[in-house]
């Protein structure tokens, strides 16, 4: 479903990602871990082609960074649901309209909008908040609206960039439980995070960015690392 082949990208001549290769299969739950500033957001931007690699190839389904036309990029992004750390909700629209906006911009028939919005809000547990404005919601509730907006177009992959970074531990746990339920229903999830505590409590495949390269980390059943995370000594 997703494949990076020898991908390199940098800024001002300085590489952030250097010869990175990995695959993500349909239905996987994958964590992209690494310290802040290591390149996790850059990698996600390469996935939805907000950036193009300096070298190598990014493939998402049938789309390739080497051959995609500019008019095809919106088609690629409709296959992806994107969840940001800082929510990016429209402050002048209520919960319902924030989710519906994602359907309107993709030309969804009007008759289909309401049932799809309500279904997405039900999935994240917010059908009772449809008329609330973003400023009336807690941080955890705002992130649930963002997830509903990402799900409403039925993506095959959900990309989450530090989705718990601005949340307290209780709200973070709720978001992780929600992402696991979404994944269990068949949607692949790729979550960038530097919160290793969450990664250990909610198991999934782990890819670590370190020094511009990527490697896979395996956790033992006890929760200790069989492969070191971020330079920690393996047990």
């Amino acid at each position: 479903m997703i494949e990076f082949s020898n991908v390199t990208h940098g800024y001002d001549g300085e590489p952030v990602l250097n010869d990175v290769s990995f695959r993500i299969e349909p239905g996987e739950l994958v964590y992209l871990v690494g310290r802040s500033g290591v390149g996790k957001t850059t990698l996600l931007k390469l996935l939805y082609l907000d950036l193009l690699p300096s070298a190598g190839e990014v493939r998402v389904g049938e789309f390739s960074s080497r051959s995609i036309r500019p008019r095809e990029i919106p088609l690629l992004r409709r296959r992806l649901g994107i969840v940001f750390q800082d929510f990016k909700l429209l402050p002048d629209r209520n919960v319902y309209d924030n989710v519906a906006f994602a359907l309107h911009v993709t030309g969804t028939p009007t008759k289909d909008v309401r049932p799809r919005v309500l279904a997405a809000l039900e999935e994240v547990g917010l059908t009772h908040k449809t008329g609330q404005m973003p400023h009336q919601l807690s941080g955890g509730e705002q992130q649930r609206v963002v997830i509903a907006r990402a799900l409403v177009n039925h993506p095959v992959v959900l990309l989450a960039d530090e989705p718990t970074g601005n949340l307290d531990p209780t709200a973070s746990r709720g978001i992780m439980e929600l992402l696991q339920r979404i994944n269990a229903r068949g949607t692949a999830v790729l979550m960038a995070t530097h919160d290793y505590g969450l990664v250990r409590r909610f198991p999934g495949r782990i890819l670590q960015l370190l020094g511009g390269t990527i490697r896979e980390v395996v956790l033992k059943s006890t929760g200790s690392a069989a492969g070191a995370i971020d330079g920690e000594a393996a047990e």
Side-chain angles (χ1 to χ4, degrees), residues 66-140:
R66 288 178 172 165
S67 59
I68 194 168
R69 299 182 179 94
R71 60 183 172 82
E72 293 176 320
I73 292 177
L75 299 178
L76 162 66
R77 291 177 181 169
R78 290 178 197 176
R79 305 278 304 276
L80 308 172
I82 304 173
V83 177
F84 299 99
Q85 177 180 353
D86 54 356
F87 311 141
K88 299 188 185 297
L89 294 173
L90 300 170
D92 59 341
R93 304 191 189 197
N94 63 24
V95 167
Y96 178 94
D97 288 334
N98 262 281
V99 178
F101 179 78
L103 293 174
H104 292 314
V105 299
T106 57
T108 302
T110 302
K111 67 181 178 61
D112 295 332
V113 170
R114 182 173 177 80
R116 286 175 62 174
V117 170
L118 294 180
L121 289 173
E122 181 177 9
E123 188 161 11
V124 302
L126 287 180
T127 51
H128 61 299
K129 298 278 187 176
T130 56
Q132 298 281 299
M133 303 299 288
H135 72 271
Q136 296 175 300
L137 305 175
S138 69

Side-chain angles (χ1 to χ4, degrees), residues 33-34 162 164 172 191-201:
V33 303
E162 301 279 5
T164 63
S172 295
M191 173 179 162
T193 183
H194 62 270
D195 188 339
Y196 301 144
L198 282 178
V199 172
R200 294 179 187 279
R201 287 196 296 275

Side-chain angles (χ1 to χ4, degrees), residues 26-70:
E28 282 197 286
L29 170 62
V30 181
Y31 295 107
L32 179 65
V33 303
R35 293 174 178 169
S36 296
V38 78
K40 300 187 299 295
T41 297
T42 295
L43 188 148
L44 293 181
K45 287 184 174 181
L46 287 164
L47 261 176
Y48 57 85
L49 294 188
D50 191 46
L51 298 172
L52 291 173
S54 305
E57 180 184 22
V58 177
R59 294 193 65 89
V60 181
E62 70 271 27
F63 298 101
S64 166
S65 62
R66 288 178 172 165
S67 59
I68 194 168
R69 299 182 179 94

Side-chain angles (χ1 to χ4, degrees), residues 123-204:
E123 188 161 11
V124 302
L126 287 180
T127 51
H128 61 299
K129 298 278 187 176
T130 56
Q132 298 281 299
M133 303 299 288
H135 72 271
Q136 296 175 300
L137 305 175
S138 69
E141 289 171 336
Q142 290 186 61
Q143 192 61 287
R144 287 173 181 270
V145 177
V146 175
I147 293 172
R149 185 179 62 189
L151 291 175
V152 77
N153 273 311
H154 303 145
V156 293
V157 184
L158 189 68
L159 306 178
D161 190 2
E162 301 279 5
T164 63
N166 290 331
L167 304 179
D168 61 50
T170 299
S172 295
R173 185 170 59 252
I175 292 300
M176 288 306 306
E177 290 170 351
L178 173 59
L179 292 176
Q180 282 199 320
R181 290 198 300 273
I182 290 167
N183 175 249
R185 294 171 189 168
T187 302
V189 176
L190 174 60
M191 173 179 162
T193 183
H194 62 270
D195 188 339
Y196 301 144
L198 282 178
V199 172
R200 294 179 187 279
R201 287 196 296 275
F202 297 91

Side-chain angles (χ1 to χ4, degrees), residues 2-50:
I2 291 173
E3 184 171 9
F4 273 48
S5 299
N6 308 111
V7 170
T8 296
H9 189 79
Y11 303 97
D12 299 323
E14 292 294 324
V16 175
L17 303 177
N18 186 22
D19 199 31
V20 167
S21 297
F22 66 91
R23 291 173 58 93
I24 295 176
E25 303 296 340
E28 282 197 286
L29 170 62
V30 181
Y31 295 107
L32 179 65
V33 303
R35 293 174 178 169
S36 296
V38 78
K40 300 187 299 295
T41 297
T42 295
L43 188 148
L44 293 181
K45 287 184 174 181
L46 287 164
L47 261 176
Y48 57 85
L49 294 188
D50 191 46

